[in-house]
Structures are given as structure tokens and as C-alpha cells.
Amino acid sequence: IDLSEETSERIPVATRPLIIEQQVLVGNKKLLDSTRRGYMSYDDIRSLPFVVYLPNGKAEKLWCRKMFGRIPVKLDIVFSCQNLHAMIKGVKEGLGLGLIPRYLITHELKTGKLIQIKTKKPDYENVIGLAQSPDRTPALSEKLFIELLSNDLKARGKYL
């Protein structure tokens, strides 16, 4: 599950963080003309269109809260789909800004096909982990699977 602050407060589960996923807000060159490159303000970002994963733009609103301490009441959401590769394509085509895991767009950032929106704060980090009922003891097979998954993630350098 996505272990956002709001999720862990609302759901009565025992959680175990596994991965820190850096998410970056990006746009293409056309959308982010030379006047909009570099550091951007809350008002600059709020005025641009968005390509989002969830129809309500919740992740993007949480990003704004983390970066600016404010949540936009309304975002200009032009495209919503629960497919990161489709979101990346939409951002590349200039539909809007997108909040994308960095590891999926490393090449595009290096080549300049996508441009990261910078703020004065460090990159947004999303914690992903395992959840389980606090009243239930995991079976041996679950414990082995979690250990295997944890060791694999640790070997890849993505483990908490």
C-alpha cells in the first residue's frame, strides 16, 4: 500500500515500510517555456494543467502541501488515468504536469525530454509498504515472502 500520512492515520492496520519512491513533478519543454524553468511558486504551478493518476488529483495536492504548505482547492486536471506509462506519454505530449516516480523517467530527465519542477524543498518521497491486520499473526509462507521481498529490495538499493 501507499503509506501516505493520511492512509496510516485512517486505516487500523500494522504497516511495514519497504520502499522510498522519489516522485517528481515534471512537464515537457513546450509547456515549461524558458520563463517557467527553474524554481516555481505555488501560484505558477497551480495555474498549469495536470495529468494525474487519481481523478481527484490527491497525490498532486499532497505534493503541493509538502512543497508549499498549501493545498490547492482546484487543479486544472486535463487527463486522468491509473497507468503511469500513459501519464508519462501525456506529459511528454504536453497535456500537463505529471507527478511521476523518478526511476521511470530518469532517461527523459537526463535528455531534457522532461523537465523537473523545482521548489526550495527536497524531492517528494512516497513510502510504499506492506499492511496487515494487527490482530492476525502472519503464516510462515507470508513471513518467507516478506523476507524474500525485503532482501530483493535491499539488494537493489531501494529498501528502507
Side-chain angles (χ1 to χ4, degrees):
I1 66 167
D2 183 333
L3 296 179
S4 70
E5 295 164 17
E6 293 177 4
T7 303
S8 58
E9 291 171 2
R10 281 193 337 243
I11 301 174
V13 294
T15 58
R16 178 180 175 178
L18 285 178
I19 304 169
I20 294 178
E21 177 183 73
Q22 281 191 338
Q23 293 190 338
V24 291
L25 190 64
V26 295
N28 78 353
K29 286 181 185 181
K30 184 178 175 186
L31 182 66
L32 299 173
D33 59 26
S34 60
T35 61
R36 292 190 176 186
R37 295 200 186 159
Y39 292 98
M40 293 181 70
S41 72
Y42 172 78
D43 289 327
D44 292 333
I45 290 168
R46 204 172 51 139
S47 69
L48 293 169
F50 280 83
V51 172
V52 299
Y53 189 79
L54 296 173
N56 61 7
K58 185 173 184 171
E60 292 72 18
K61 290 177 181 177
L62 289 173
W63 183 92
C64 285
R65 182 178 78 182
K66 194 79 153 177
M67 297 297 148
F68 301 109
R70 298 171 21 183
I71 298 176
V73 176
K74 185 175 188 262
L75 289 175
D76 181 14
I77 297 172
V78 295
F79 181 65
S80 171
C81 69
Q82 293 186 350
N83 180 309
L84 288 169
H85 295 288
M87 281 182 64
I88 293 167
K89 179 76 171 160
V91 173
K92 282 182 182 177
E93 294 297 323
L95 293 178
L97 301 178
L99 187 60
I100 312 285
R102 179 184 294 282
Y103 72 91
L104 291 177
I105 54 171
T106 304
H107 177 73
E108 288 84 352
L109 290 169
K110 284 181 183 175
T111 60
K113 288 181 181 171
L114 292 177
I115 299 163
Q116 180 179 349
I117 304 295
K118 302 240 182 205
T119 69
K120 306 256 185 226
K121 302 240 175 146
D123 286 345
Y124 182 77
E125 292 183 337
N126 187 38
V127 179
I128 299 180
L130 298 172
Q132 143 179 46
S133 170
D135 303 333
R136 187 174 166 275
T137 304
L140 178 60
S141 58
E142 290 175 75
K143 288 179 185 178
L144 291 173
F145 173 75
I146 291 168
E147 184 179 339
L148 178 69
L149 178 62
S150 298
N151 289 339
D152 182 62
L153 291 170
K154 193 180 290 185
R156 295 171 191 243
K158 298 182 182 212
Y159 186 75
L160 283 172

